[in-house]
Amino acid sequence: MPQGAIAANRTRTAAVEAHRFAVSTMRAVFEVIDRRRGSAQLGGAAAPDVIDQVDAVVRHDAFGIVGSGTAPTTQQSGCTRIQRVHAQLCDVSAAEIFGTCLIGGRIRVFAGRVERKPVRVRAPGPRTPAVGGRGALERAKYRWQLVSLEFC
């Protein structure tokens, strides 16, 4: 396969991965905002400062979800709904995201950045002492992470 075709395939794959990650992560973020999910469930999908920012939005009810009487209950779900999410690839390891969502009857916009970050994972196999006193050897795996987020 020619070098250009390999690079194009890698770029196309990264764009699809970034978009899928952005959609699923933003869905989770808005479920946290309307209190259907706890912020701890954002886990490794969002950087710690983004999780802190989302917690502040929830704590101060920045979108007026609780004050408007539209807080979700067991009978009412989906008070926030993502309408569109776009991902513009910067390179194969970073993308700018933006989109719109419906919160409490109002359309809100958001923008952010996702990046592929290294995450240590344990190597498969038996646990044997390794150099430096660690258990199984660790290796790096790259996963997408929401590293910045802005609401307008």
Side-chain angles (χ1 to χ4, degrees), residues 33-136:
I33 288 173
D34 73 2
R35 295 171 172 83
R36 285 184 281 164
R37 172 186 297 235
S39 64
Q41 291 184 359
L42 293 176
D49 57 335
V50 173
I51 294 173
D52 290 343
Q53 178 185 0
V54 171
D55 283 340
V57 167
V58 171
R59 188 171 43 254
H60 297 292
D61 194 24
F63 295 128
I65 293 172
V66 173
S68 67
T70 60
T73 63
T74 55
Q75 294 84 19
Q76 173 189 357
S77 64
C79 119
T80 63
R81 198 173 72 235
I82 291 182
Q83 294 183 316
R84 288 193 168 87
V85 178
H86 302 276
Q88 180 67 44
L89 211 59
C90 300
D91 58 43
V92 294
S93 63
E96 301 291 329
I97 64 167
F98 54 96
T100 57
C101 67
L102 187 64
I103 300 177
R106 297 184 69 185
I107 294 176
R108 304 285 183 162
V109 297
F110 62 89
R113 182 176 176 89
V114 296
E115 295 177 354
R116 289 178 62 109
K117 298 284 190 174
V119 177
R120 288 189 177 192
V121 292
R122 292 203 175 262
R127 299 181 116 197
T128 58
V131 177
R134 292 188 182 165

Side-chain angles (χ1 to χ4, degrees), residues 4 9 21 26 36 38 49 68 93 121 127 144-145 149 151:
N9 190 30
F21 175 79
M26 291 311 300
R36 285 184 281 164
D49 57 335
S68 67
S93 63
V121 292
R127 299 181 116 197
W144 290 99
Q145 186 177 55
L149 182 62
F151 299 104

